[in-house]
Amino acid sequence: VSSVALGAEYAAPYLGRISDSGKDGPGQVSAMQKIVDAMKSQTRVLVASVRSADEVGQLAAMGCTTFTLSANIIDSMTAEPLTLEAAGAFEKAASISNEASRPKKIGF
């Protein structure tokens, strides 16, 4: 509430530390997001100290949109083999499509 009242651009709860203290970290961060939303504030809840991709998904489902993430968490979120395969196929098809739609040069 104080971040919103002061017009702060971000409020950054440390999810992992909240959970380490024995509190319901995701529940508290979700409550913060609901307060910011209810106050129709421009303040964004920047969730820090995220320790797993599952926490990102859980909090995103609760309305959180801004996170600080380690490279390991990003890797775990993007390393799904079927997704990587589909992305590769899409990029290949897009490349072929782009080449086919380019105007052909007529030699002079």
Side-chain angles (χ1 to χ4, degrees), residues 8 37-38 44 71 84 87 96-97 100:
D37 292 345
R44 296 176 71 179
L84 294 173
I96 292 168
S97 175

Side-chain angles (χ1 to χ4, degrees), residues 20-43:
D20 288 348
S21 73
K23 298 176 183 168
D24 175 14
Q28 289 203 352
V29 171
S30 175
M32 291 177 199
Q33 184 66 56
K34 287 178 184 174
I35 290 167
V36 168
D37 292 345
M39 296 178 79
K40 301 197 184 318
S41 171
Q42 295 298 314
T43 299

Side-chain angles (χ1 to χ4, degrees), residues 45-100:
V45 176
L46 173 62
V47 186
S49 187
V50 178
R51 297 187 178 154
S52 73
D54 289 339
E55 288 176 337
V56 175
Q58 178 184 11
L59 289 166
M62 295 177 181
C64 296
T65 60
T66 310
F67 301 87
T68 61
L69 303 173
S70 70
N72 289 341
I73 291 175
I74 293 170
D75 286 345
S76 73
M77 293 172 68
T78 58
E80 167 55 44
L82 292 176
T83 300
L84 294 173
E85 182 182 327
F90 176 81
E91 289 175 10
K92 182 178 179 182
S95 175
I96 292 168
S97 175
N98 284 340
E99 289 175 17

